[in-house]
């Protein structure tokens, strides 16, 4: 029995070495395969973040800010450099917050524009995370050590999809004809692909009321403490809410926002009632604004920031 167990252990060790070698080969030779996809914009966003001197404005959130902000207007209004870190919501709120930590400095304004502050907002699509970080090793710290097992479980799916792209020669294709590409972003990190009108059909249930959880707000408050220690300021601003026939009553959103305000240690600069936008200002989802909608939302955020600054004396 002892010899048998020894053989099993040797065989397992050999298989483990083979698997590790295969994974090493994959990351050295095949990955990355999504260099020109929407998620690869993370490279440009973080590069811009790290290149900017302080004071600067760091916008943090999901695609509601990627599609809903005109950073140049904010830069002109406040004379501060702006970086828009907005990406896919499937990465989870914490992933976006960790992006900001690559370069928060004294005097910076960090503005959170999450859609939701509930546990559901922490749900992560780990295959999407791999598509985002690929073999860009400096991005791997965006994944918490306690989430490594989740990431490891999703790795085979990413390897499979990347291998097929590589095998067919279809990876790393720069498609400038779609909004879901790296080239759709401008130098600030905003989506600049033309979005002239509504391409989304609103139906019952397509617009929901977000939630708030103690766990999510505790992490936001930890980020606030992190910013305070550096000499930066964390603020919370509202996301754009599609307002029309299928939108729940405004009172439910007001109740949600009151919960956020009560739980947050930092200042909440927006009145949620200013962030209801008609369906006609949206593009291809209930969070993605068209060009005109992005202008209106940005103007409202600028007004919020000015009022907040005035309140600081």
């Amino acid at each position: 029995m002892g010899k048998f167990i020894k053989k099993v252990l040797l065989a397992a060790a050999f298989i483990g070495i083979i698997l590790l070698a295969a994974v090493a080969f994959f990351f050295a030779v095949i990955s990355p395969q999504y260099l020109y996809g929407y998620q690869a914009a993370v490279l440009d966003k973080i590069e811009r973040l790290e290149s900017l001197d302080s004071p600067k404005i760091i916008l943090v959130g999901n695609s509601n800010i990627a599609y809903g902000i005109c950073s140049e207007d904010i830069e002109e209004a406040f004379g501060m450099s702006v970086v828009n870190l907005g990406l896919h919501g499937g990465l989870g709120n914490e992933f976006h917050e960790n992006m900001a930590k690559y370069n928060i400095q004294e005097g910076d304004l960090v503005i959170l524009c999450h859609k939701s502050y509930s546990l559901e907002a922490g749900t992560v699509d780990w295959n999407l995370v791999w598509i985002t970080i690929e073999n860009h090793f400096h991005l791997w710290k965006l994944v918490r050590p306690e989430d490594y097992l989740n990431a490891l479980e999703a790795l085979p799916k990413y390897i499979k999809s990347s291998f097929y792209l590589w095998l067919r020669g279809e990876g790393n294709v720069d498609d400038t004809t779609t909004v879901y590409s790296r080239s759709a972003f401008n130098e600030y990190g905003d989506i600049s692909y033309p979005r002239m009108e509504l391409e989304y059909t609103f139906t019952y249930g397509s617009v929901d009321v977000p939630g708030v959880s103690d766990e999510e707000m505790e992490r936001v408050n930890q980020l606030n403490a992190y910013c305070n220690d550096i000499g930066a300021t964390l603020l919370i601003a509202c996301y754009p809410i599609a307002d029309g026939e299928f939108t729940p009553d405004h009172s439910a959103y007001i109740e949600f926002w009151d919960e956020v305000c009560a739980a947050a240690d930092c200042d909440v600069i927006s009145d949620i009632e200013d962030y209801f936008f008609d369906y006609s200002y949206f593009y291809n989802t209930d969070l993605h604004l068209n060009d005109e909608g992005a202008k209106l939302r940005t103007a409202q955020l600028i007004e919020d920031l000015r009022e907040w600054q005035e309140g600081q004396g």
Side-chain angles (χ1 to χ4, degrees):
M1 181 62 71
K3 290 183 178 179
F4 175 76
I5 293 176
K6 185 176 181 180
K7 288 180 179 180
V8 170
L9 292 176
L10 287 172
F14 178 74
I15 292 171
I17 291 170
I18 295 297
L19 288 174
L20 286 174
V23 170
F25 173 83
F26 169 81
F27 280 112
V29 177
I30 297 177
S31 182
Q33 288 294 312
Y34 294 89
L35 269 180
Y36 297 101
Y38 178 92
Q39 294 301 117
V42 67
L43 298 168
D44 307 313
K45 290 169 181 280
I46 288 180
E47 181 180 4
R48 175 172 175 81
L49 173 64
E50 293 181 323
S51 72
L52 297 178
D53 295 326
S54 295
K56 58 184 176 290
I57 296 174
I58 305 171
L59 302 172
V60 180
N62 62 15
S63 57
N64 86 84
I65 58 170
Y67 285 80
I69 292 291
C70 302
S71 293
E72 187 174 7
D73 293 353
I74 299 174
E75 193 167 274
E76 290 176 356
F78 298 100
M80 298 170 67
S81 297
V82 178
V83 56
N84 182 340
L85 298 182
L87 272 176
H88 197 294
L91 297 171
N93 284 356
E94 187 168 7
F95 189 100
H96 293 100
E97 293 163 14
N98 287 341
M99 286 172 62
K101 292 180 181 179
Y102 275 78
N103 189 23
I104 297 176
Q105 297 179 339
E106 184 177 357
D108 289 348
L109 295 179
V110 182
I111 305 177
L112 282 188
C113 301
H114 292 324
K115 176 198 172 182
S116 176
Y117 294 85
S118 68
L119 282 178
E120 186 180 71
T123 303
V124 176
D125 180 341
W126 289 101
N127 183 58
L128 185 68
V129 170
W130 277 114
I131 288 172
T132 305
I133 63 177
E134 296 208 84
N135 69 342
H136 310 299
F137 301 116
H138 67 292
L139 299 182
W140 286 18
K141 67 180 181 180
L142 291 171
V143 179
R144 303 178 307 168
E146 54 264 46
D147 289 329
Y148 286 170
L149 183 58
N150 292 326
L152 190 61
E153 290 175 353
L155 181 57
K157 184 176 180 180
Y158 165 68
I159 289 176
K160 180 180 178 181
S161 63
S162 297
F163 179 75
Y164 281 131
L165 288 173
W166 174 74
L167 198 63
R168 295 193 297 259
E170 297 174 356
N172 298 329
V173 175
D174 188 6
D175 186 356
T176 60
T177 65
T178 174
V179 69
Y180 293 108
S181 68
R182 185 176 179 177
S183 59
F185 292 86
N186 63 19
E187 65 271 25
Y188 296 98
D190 311 332
I191 288 286
S192 58
Y193 187 92
R195 310 179 310 284
M196 304 308 295
E197 56 190 32
L198 178 66
E199 296 182 1
Y200 181 70
T201 301
F202 285 92
T203 60
Y204 179 78
S206 60
V207 184
D208 62 350
V209 180
V212 182
S213 70
D214 293 340
E215 293 84 353
E216 283 289 300
M217 292 308 302
E218 181 180 355
R219 196 193 61 253
V220 169
N221 290 334
Q222 289 172 353
L223 178 62
N224 178 61
Y226 176 90
C227 291
N228 287 341
D229 288 344
I230 294 172
T233 301
L234 180 69
L235 303 170
I236 294 177
C238 195
Y239 75 100
I241 303 166
D243 191 27
E245 178 184 0
F246 302 104
T247 303
D249 191 84
H250 288 194
S251 62
Y253 291 94
I254 293 170
E255 183 178 346
F256 151 72
W257 203 238
D258 286 345
E259 289 184 45
V260 173
C261 294
D265 290 343
C266 62
D267 289 339
V268 179
I269 64 173
S270 299
D271 182 340
I272 197 169
E273 294 185 80
D274 293 329
Y275 281 79
F276 289 98
F277 295 91
D278 186 80
Y279 291 167
S280 61
Y281 290 113
F282 287 78
Y283 177 51
N284 61 356
T285 79
D286 66 307
L287 282 180
H288 297 174
L289 293 167
N290 61 24
D291 291 341
E292 187 177 2
K295 278 284 187 182
L296 287 173
R297 188 270 187 92
T298 301
Q300 183 60 56
L301 179 58
I302 289 172
E303 183 178 334
D304 293 345
L305 275 170
R306 281 178 172 154
E307 290 183 2
W308 174 79
Q309 284 185 331
E310 290 170 3
Q312 299 305 296

